[in-house]
Amino acid sequence: MLDDFMPLVANVLLQVGYAGMNITSKLALESGMKPLVLVAYRQIFATIAIAPLAFFLERKTRPKITMPILFQIFLCSMTGATANQVFYFVGLNYTTATVACALNNVLPAATFVLAAIFRQEAMGIKKASGVAKVLGTLICVGGAMLLSFYHGHIVGMGESKVHWNYADRMSSNDSSGGTTGSNSFLGPFLVMASAVAWAIWFIIQGQTSKNFPAPYTCTTIMCFMASIECTIIGIFSEHKPSAWSLSSPMRLIASLYAGIICNAVAFCVMSWCIQKRGPLYVSVFSPLLLVIVAILSWALLREKLYVGTVAGSFLIVGGLYAVLWGKDKEVKQIKGGERGEGKVEATKAGGVDNDDLELQLQPPLKGSQLGG
């Protein structure tokens, strides 16, 4: 029961962490921080944070690091760290946090397609579990689009009692012609490109986790490689030393938060979850980020909640549970098949009567696939 529950809790907490990153990073960009500089600092702080854990927790259990393993980790750094984060933060600089979160929800669909192509996920459309995964993914993405691009009437929830003076000042500066611009094509395009890069990372990481089951060491090497890659890109883009200054508190907070929480912690947890439940299970939680961002934006930034927001949130949660149900049912069917094969082998060895075996292999008549 605990093994089924912990991946669910871990993925929900990850989305809470990513929601905080979207808010702090957007405020840092509005204060004048360059997105490529933020990405470079994120990788550097992530490497510093995760390296001690990798050394102390896996020094006795760490498998041998071979050249093929290093090449796989290099591919992970190029896709899941460098390409994903460079595209996302540059895109975030040219659009709003809500649109960025919404368009990032092409991730489950892209991951499902790629996982099916590389045979890490079975389509299984002739089974209820496969239909639930396909429809659930489509419902999640549809709900995300509805939440972002349709407003409708304002939901009467009143105003938040929480007031963040710094956010109020940044919002005021932005509304009066702030530091960041907008591009209705470039921003969304880059965010979608980041989602595709992240989906590729899920596929590569799924194989890397099997070949090198040491998530802390893998994450440390990946972040170290990405820090070199992103720093080189950042230096070519921003030559002035002032652009790399962390004297502003929001720049420092955004860099530390993104590096420690959303890189060091997040990549370790996601690697562990991929190893336990597969890439699709992890990626499908990303639509929850929109719901959390909507709540935090209302509470901290005093944004209004609309009918489209509420309706989209219900669709996202409904699609999420559909995919979880399908994935859980599929896992139990696989485990049941393995147990059935074991009983058949035991029957051949011990001479159990076929009628008795048929009774043993009957599935239970009731029981929730989600609740265990």
Side-chain angles (χ1 to χ4, degrees):
M1 183 65 181
L2 186 61
D3 289 340
D4 293 335
F5 185 66
M6 286 305 297
L8 174 64
V9 174
N11 279 286
V12 172
L13 291 178
L14 274 179
Q15 300 310 314
V16 175
Y18 279 124
M21 183 202 68
N22 274 272
I23 293 178
T24 57
S25 297
K26 186 62 178 177
L27 290 174
L29 295 175
E30 288 178 351
S31 70
M33 191 175 194
K34 301 300 182 182
L36 296 179
V37 175
L38 176 58
V39 171
Y41 276 127
R42 174 178 180 174
Q43 303 301 334
I44 293 171
F45 286 131
T47 305
I48 295 173
I50 199 64
L53 294 177
F55 177 77
F56 288 108
L57 296 180
E58 295 178 343
R59 57 181 176 177
K60 295 182 179 179
T61 60
R62 184 186 302 114
K64 183 179 179 181
I65 302 176
T66 62
M67 288 302 297
I69 293 298
L70 282 177
F71 180 70
Q72 289 183 12
I73 297 176
F74 171 73
L75 293 179
C76 288
S77 72
M78 289 293 294
T79 55
T82 301
N84 168 48
Q85 294 175 20
V86 166
F87 288 151
Y88 185 81
F89 281 101
V90 174
L92 181 64
N93 197 43
Y94 287 105
T95 188
T96 65
T98 302
V99 172
C101 290
L103 295 177
N104 200 42
N105 281 284
V106 302
L107 175 64
T111 304
F112 182 77
V113 172
L114 290 174
I117 292 174
F118 289 98
R119 298 184 179 180
Q120 291 191 13
E121 284 287 339
M123 291 289 290
I125 56 175
K126 294 183 179 180
K127 298 181 180 179
S129 59
V131 174
K133 288 193 298 182
V134 173
L135 291 181
T137 300
L138 294 176
I139 292 172
C140 279
V141 176
M145 298 301 104
L146 177 65
L147 187 150
S148 299
F149 302 116
Y150 173 73
H151 282 173
H153 297 291
I154 296 176
V155 177
M157 293 184 61
E159 292 189 359
S160 171
K161 303 299 181 181
V162 180
H163 295 285
W164 189 4
N165 292 331
Y166 184 87
D168 292 340
R169 290 198 302 271
M170 287 296 101
S171 299
S172 177
N173 292 337
D174 187 52
S175 63
S176 60
T179 58
T180 58
S182 62
N183 189 308
S184 58
F185 173 77
L186 180 61
F189 174 78
L190 291 174
V191 172
M192 286 188 288
S194 75
V196 174
W198 202 6
I200 297 173
W201 175 82
F202 275 114
I203 304 304
I204 300 174
Q205 183 63 35
Q207 186 62 41
T208 305
S209 297
K210 296 178 181 178
N211 299 334
F212 189 72
Y216 294 104
T217 302
C218 182
T219 303
T220 301
I221 299 174
M222 181 180 64
C223 291
F224 177 71
M225 291 180 174
S227 64
I228 297 175
E229 296 158 5
C230 294
T231 300
I232 293 174
I233 296 174
I235 290 175
F236 273 105
S237 176
E238 303 295 336
H239 303 287
K240 298 180 180 179
S242 58
W244 294 81
S245 174
L246 293 178
S247 58
S248 169
M250 183 51 64
R251 294 188 184 188
L252 179 60
I253 291 172
S255 301
L256 288 172
Y257 186 97
I260 296 174
I261 301 298
C262 298
N263 254 43
V265 175
F267 273 118
C268 287
V269 173
M270 283 190 293
S271 298
W272 176 78
C273 289
I274 289 174
Q275 192 174 356
K276 290 288 185 181
R277 304 303 291 268
L280 178 63
Y281 182 89
V282 179
S283 69
V284 80
F285 279 85
S286 62
L288 279 179
L289 179 60
L290 267 176
V291 182
I292 300 170
V293 167
I295 295 174
L296 291 180
S297 297
W298 170 80
L300 299 178
L301 306 180
R302 293 191 288 179
E303 292 185 1
K304 303 295 184 181
L305 286 179
Y306 296 91
V307 172
T309 303
V310 177
S313 299
F314 276 111
L315 287 175
I316 289 170
V317 174
L320 171 64
Y321 279 112
V323 177
L324 291 178
W325 181 87
K327 184 65 178 177
D328 187 73
K329 186 176 181 66
E330 181 183 76
V331 170
K332 290 183 177 180
Q333 288 173 344
I334 294 174
K335 290 181 178 179
E338 292 175 351
R339 287 196 297 267
E341 291 176 0
K343 289 180 179 179
V344 170
E345 293 296 330
T347 301
K348 292 179 180 179
V352 179
D353 186 81
N354 286 336
D355 292 335
D356 294 335
L357 176 63
E358 187 175 349
L359 290 175
Q360 293 174 18
L361 295 180
Q362 289 297 322
L365 296 179
K366 60 182 179 179
S368 171
Q369 297 291 340
L370 285 177

